[in-house]
Amino acid sequence: MPFTLFYSPGACSLSCHIALEESGLPYERRRFGSTDGGTESAEYRAINPRGRVPALRLEDGTLLTEAAAILGFIAEQVPDKKLMPAHGTLDYARAREWMGFLASSVHPAIRSVFRPDKYAEGDAAKEEVRARGRRWLATYYSDIEGRLTGQQYALGDAFSLVDAYLVVFHKWSARPLAQPAIPPMPAFDAVMSRVCARPAVAKILDFEAAGAKDR
Ligand SMILES: N[C@@H](CCC(=O)N[C@@H](CS)C(=O)NCC(=O)O)C(=O)O
């Protein structure tokens, strides 16, 4: 049995979907929507009690969660593809730094803008959460832009799965709820043009945009 990716179109699971396609490994995928009740369903909770995507089921039935962990795991299955820098190098630490920042700072800020209902009740409280989230987004996206200025890819001259993870945050930044907070990002846009032109990335973006349910 190949790996099975549990994903929701356009969610952070997009990064792992791209990673699997880049890896060339055989995989299956199952869609559980994060905004239509799919991830909250009893069927999905039985698969992943955390009720979030992404999740990756391995050949032996083990379930792995958390996008950053899944990205690292996929890269390690295909070391020749060099989807992540070698362990023990500063580049590897830099990749972990990017992933930690995206997962623990930028993602929660985005969540407070897209899903304030997860943090507050009542319209006024939700708007306050959203407004504060937007202030964080302005700071974080300026930080991303600064780090990407002068770079071909997040880690320098070579594509890595950090770039696959950044695709998610670039797509989210274009959504109307986030847009008012997002500064001009010419460097981020240029890196993403390069990344999204990769055949594997373009294929998965098309697939998720079409909302297709099968491979
Ligand atoms: N820390 C997790 C967060 C995963 C997460 O929040 N995924 C969202 C989609 S982007 C989700 O499943 N949301 C459904 C929900 O919160 O009910 C990770 O980085 O993988």
Side-chain angles (χ1 to χ4, degrees), residues 1-7 16-17 19-21 23-30 55-64 69-78 83 215:
M1 185 171 62
F3 293 157
T4 303
L5 175 70
F6 298 93
Y7 79 103
C16 301
H17 205 170
L20 282 167
E21 196 65 32
S23 75
L25 294 164
Y27 66 98
E28 295 173 346
R29 55 195 157 200
R30 289 188 60 193
L56 187 72
R57 192 161 60 203
L58 312 185
E59 287 102 327
D60 67 356
T62 304
L63 195 75
L64 189 61
I70 294 170
L71 291 171
F73 179 78
I74 292 169
E76 284 160 17
Q77 305 313 299
V78 287
L83 295 177
R215 272 195 96 182

Side-chain angles (χ1 to χ4, degrees), residues 11-12 34 39-40 51-54 66-67 103 107 111 118 165 172:
C12 57
S34 60
T39 51
E40 290 170 356
R52 305 269 189 107
V53 287
E66 298 298 319
H107 195 170
R111 189 169 165 86
K118 296 283 185 184
Y165 203 7
W172 284 347

